[in-house]
PDB file of all heavy atoms in Angstrom:
ATOM      1  N   GLY A 297      22.287  30.226   8.626  1.00  0.00           N
ATOM      2  CA  GLY A 297      22.557  30.319   7.170  1.00  0.00           C
ATOM      3  C   GLY A 297      21.310  30.518   6.343  1.00  0.00           C
ATOM      4  O   GLY A 297      21.379  30.219   5.146  1.00  0.00           O
ATOM      5  N   PHE A 298      20.310  31.050   6.916  1.00  0.00           N
ATOM      6  CA  PHE A 298      19.028  31.334   6.112  1.00  0.00           C
ATOM      7  C   PHE A 298      19.339  32.361   5.018  1.00  0.00           C
ATOM      8  O   PHE A 298      19.919  33.427   5.258  1.00  0.00           O
ATOM      9  CB  PHE A 298      17.956  31.890   7.059  1.00  0.00           C
ATOM     10  CG  PHE A 298      16.722  32.290   6.396  1.00  0.00           C
ATOM     11  CD1 PHE A 298      15.832  31.346   5.782  1.00  0.00           C
ATOM     12  CD2 PHE A 298      16.322  33.611   6.289  1.00  0.00           C
ATOM     13  CE1 PHE A 298      14.673  31.704   5.145  1.00  0.00           C
ATOM     14  CE2 PHE A 298      15.140  34.037   5.687  1.00  0.00           C
ATOM     15  CZ  PHE A 298      14.344  33.032   5.159  1.00  0.00           C
ATOM     16  N   ASP A 299      18.878  32.078   3.762  1.00  0.00           N
ATOM     17  CA  ASP A 299      19.157  32.957   2.651  1.00  0.00           C
ATOM     18  C   ASP A 299      17.869  33.462   1.996  1.00  0.00           C
ATOM     19  O   ASP A 299      17.951  34.015   0.906  1.00  0.00           O
ATOM     20  CB  ASP A 299      20.065  32.276   1.636  1.00  0.00           C
ATOM     21  CG  ASP A 299      19.358  31.100   0.991  1.00  0.00           C
ATOM     22  OD1 ASP A 299      18.269  30.707   1.326  1.00  0.00           O
ATOM     23  OD2 ASP A 299      20.018  30.492   0.025  1.00  0.00           O
ATOM     24  N   GLY A 300      16.732  33.259   2.667  1.00  0.00           N
ATOM     25  CA  GLY A 300      15.461  33.754   2.072  1.00  0.00           C
ATOM     26  C   GLY A 300      15.110  35.112   2.637  1.00  0.00           C
ATOM     27  O   GLY A 300      15.967  35.871   3.030  1.00  0.00           O
ATOM     28  N   TYR A 301      13.791  35.451   2.583  1.00  0.00           N
ATOM     29  CA  TYR A 301      13.353  36.730   3.030  1.00  0.00           C
ATOM     30  C   TYR A 301      12.416  36.619   4.166  1.00  0.00           C
ATOM     31  O   TYR A 301      11.797  35.533   4.396  1.00  0.00           O
ATOM     32  CB  TYR A 301      12.692  37.519   1.864  1.00  0.00           C
ATOM     33  CG  TYR A 301      11.489  36.870   1.273  1.00  0.00           C
ATOM     34  CD1 TYR A 301      10.182  37.228   1.720  1.00  0.00           C
ATOM     35  CD2 TYR A 301      11.622  35.908   0.289  1.00  0.00           C
ATOM     36  CE1 TYR A 301       9.080  36.653   1.146  1.00  0.00           C
ATOM     37  CE2 TYR A 301      10.484  35.322  -0.310  1.00  0.00           C
ATOM     38  CZ  TYR A 301       9.232  35.687   0.167  1.00  0.00           C
ATOM     39  OH  TYR A 301       8.122  35.090  -0.360  1.00  0.00           O
ATOM     40  N   VAL A 302      12.228  37.659   4.918  1.00  0.00           N
ATOM     41  CA  VAL A 302      11.367  37.700   6.108  1.00  0.00           C
ATOM     42  C   VAL A 302      10.234  38.711   5.885  1.00  0.00           C
ATOM     43  O   VAL A 302      10.449  39.821   5.361  1.00  0.00           O
ATOM     44  CB  VAL A 302      12.196  38.164   7.353  1.00  0.00           C
ATOM     45  CG1 VAL A 302      11.252  38.335   8.545  1.00  0.00           C
ATOM     46  CG2 VAL A 302      13.296  37.191   7.661  1.00  0.00           C
ATOM     47  N   MET A 303       8.986  38.190   6.174  1.00  0.00           N
ATOM     48  CA  MET A 303       7.878  39.109   6.127  1.00  0.00           C
ATOM     49  C   MET A 303       7.272  39.226   7.542  1.00  0.00           C
ATOM     50  O   MET A 303       7.225  38.278   8.313  1.00  0.00           O
ATOM     51  CB  MET A 303       6.756  38.583   5.170  1.00  0.00           C
ATOM     52  CG  MET A 303       5.588  39.506   5.009  1.00  0.00           C
ATOM     53  SD  MET A 303       4.469  38.994   3.634  1.00  0.00           S
ATOM     54  CE  MET A 303       3.499  37.812   4.463  1.00  0.00           C
ATOM     55  N   SER A 304       6.824  40.438   7.825  1.00  0.00           N
ATOM     56  CA  SER A 304       6.248  40.642   9.164  1.00  0.00           C
ATOM     57  C   SER A 304       4.861  40.015   9.244  1.00  0.00           C
ATOM     58  O   SER A 304       4.179  39.849   8.217  1.00  0.00           O
ATOM     59  CB  SER A 304       6.095  42.153   9.430  1.00  0.00           C
ATOM     60  OG  SER A 304       5.046  42.734   8.692  1.00  0.00           O
ATOM     61  N   ASP A 305       4.420  39.718  10.436  1.00  0.00           N
ATOM     62  CA  ASP A 305       3.010  39.431  10.711  1.00  0.00           C
ATOM     63  C   ASP A 305       2.287  40.792  10.560  1.00  0.00           C
ATOM     64  O   ASP A 305       2.935  41.863  10.570  1.00  0.00           O
ATOM     65  CB  ASP A 305       2.789  38.821  12.068  1.00  0.00           C
ATOM     66  CG  ASP A 305       1.571  37.902  12.049  1.00  0.00           C
ATOM     67  OD1 ASP A 305       0.680  38.128  11.220  1.00  0.00           O
ATOM     68  OD2 ASP A 305       1.501  36.934  12.841  1.00  0.00           O
ATOM     69  N   ARG A 306       0.979  40.766  10.476  1.00  0.00           N
ATOM     70  CA  ARG A 306       0.266  41.972  10.166  1.00  0.00           C
ATOM     71  C   ARG A 306       0.302  42.896  11.370  1.00  0.00           C
ATOM     72  O   ARG A 306      -0.181  42.521  12.442  1.00  0.00           O
ATOM     73  CB  ARG A 306      -1.203  41.619   9.810  1.00  0.00           C
ATOM     74  CG  ARG A 306      -1.971  42.762   9.195  1.00  0.00           C
ATOM     75  CD  ARG A 306      -3.387  42.344   8.847  1.00  0.00           C
ATOM     76  NE  ARG A 306      -3.390  41.273   7.818  1.00  0.00           N
ATOM     77  CZ  ARG A 306      -3.360  41.511   6.565  1.00  0.00           C
ATOM     78  NH1 ARG A 306      -3.364  42.722   6.042  1.00  0.00           N
ATOM     79  NH2 ARG A 306      -3.389  40.470   5.700  1.00  0.00           N
ATOM     80  N   ARG A 307       0.853  44.066  11.186  1.00  0.00           N
ATOM     81  CA  ARG A 307       1.026  45.086  12.217  1.00  0.00           C
ATOM     82  C   ARG A 307       2.073  44.692  13.295  1.00  0.00           C
ATOM     83  O   ARG A 307       1.937  45.021  14.479  1.00  0.00           O
ATOM     84  CB  ARG A 307      -0.296  45.445  12.919  1.00  0.00           C
ATOM     85  CG  ARG A 307      -1.221  46.294  12.023  1.00  0.00           C
ATOM     86  CD  ARG A 307      -2.672  46.086  12.484  1.00  0.00           C
ATOM     87  NE  ARG A 307      -3.134  44.753  12.206  1.00  0.00           N
ATOM     88  CZ  ARG A 307      -4.242  44.223  12.562  1.00  0.00           C
ATOM     89  NH1 ARG A 307      -5.106  45.008  13.302  1.00  0.00           N
ATOM     90  NH2 ARG A 307      -4.593  43.022  12.274  1.00  0.00           N
ATOM     91  N   ALA A 308       3.067  43.904  12.941  1.00  0.00           N
ATOM     92  CA  ALA A 308       4.107  43.455  13.879  1.00  0.00           C
ATOM     93  C   ALA A 308       5.354  44.271  13.810  1.00  0.00           C
ATOM     94  O   ALA A 308       6.246  44.053  14.674  1.00  0.00           O
ATOM     95  CB  ALA A 308       4.415  41.983  13.600  1.00  0.00           C
ATOM     96  N   ILE A 309       5.512  45.201  12.909  1.00  0.00           N
ATOM     97  CA  ILE A 309       6.650  46.109  12.905  1.00  0.00           C
ATOM     98  C   ILE A 309       6.373  47.270  13.845  1.00  0.00           C
ATOM     99  O   ILE A 309       5.230  47.769  13.916  1.00  0.00           O
ATOM    100  CB  ILE A 309       6.961  46.621  11.494  1.00  0.00           C
ATOM    101  CG1 ILE A 309       7.568  45.486  10.619  1.00  0.00           C
ATOM    102  CG2 ILE A 309       7.955  47.820  11.520  1.00  0.00           C
ATOM    103  CD1 ILE A 309       7.818  45.843   9.189  1.00  0.00           C
ATOM    104  N   HIS A 310       7.373  47.746  14.597  1.00  0.00           N
ATOM    105  CA  HIS A 310       7.151  48.818  15.531  1.00  0.00           C
ATOM    106  C   HIS A 310       8.141  49.951  15.293  1.00  0.00           C
ATOM    107  O   HIS A 310       7.958  51.051  15.879  1.00  0.00           O
ATOM    108  CB  HIS A 310       7.324  48.319  16.961  1.00  0.00           C
ATOM    109  CG  HIS A 310       6.205  47.354  17.387  1.00  0.00           C
ATOM    110  ND1 HIS A 310       5.212  47.727  18.161  1.00  0.00           N
ATOM    111  CD2 HIS A 310       6.012  46.067  17.101  1.00  0.00           C
ATOM    112  CE1 HIS A 310       4.374  46.734  18.359  1.00  0.00           C
ATOM    113  NE2 HIS A 310       4.880  45.674  17.726  1.00  0.00           N
ATOM    114  N   ASP A 311       9.116  49.805  14.434  1.00  0.00           N
ATOM    115  CA  ASP A 311      10.126  50.884  14.204  1.00  0.00           C
ATOM    116  C   ASP A 311      10.697  50.684  12.831  1.00  0.00           C
ATOM    117  O   ASP A 311      11.251  49.626  12.497  1.00  0.00           O
ATOM    118  CB  ASP A 311      11.207  50.777  15.269  1.00  0.00           C
ATOM    119  CG  ASP A 311      12.206  51.890  15.122  1.00  0.00           C
ATOM    120  OD1 ASP A 311      13.169  51.720  14.286  1.00  0.00           O
ATOM    121  OD2 ASP A 311      12.109  52.884  15.826  1.00  0.00           O
ATOM    122  N   THR A 312      10.587  51.714  12.017  1.00  0.00           N
ATOM    123  CA  THR A 312      11.014  51.617  10.573  1.00  0.00           C
ATOM    124  C   THR A 312      12.499  51.254  10.505  1.00  0.00           C
ATOM    125  O   THR A 312      12.879  50.306   9.784  1.00  0.00           O
ATOM    126  CB  THR A 312      10.736  52.943   9.863  1.00  0.00           C
ATOM    127  OG1 THR A 312       9.346  53.231   9.898  1.00  0.00           O
ATOM    128  CG2 THR A 312      11.182  52.903   8.395  1.00  0.00           C
TER     129      THR A 312
END
Side-chain angles (χ1 to χ4, degrees):
F298 176 69
D299 65 355
Y301 62 95
V302 175
M303 185 170 82
S304 75
D305 210 334
R306 195 179 297 272
R307 288 156 292 172
I309 290 177
H310 292 260
D311 182 278
T312 300

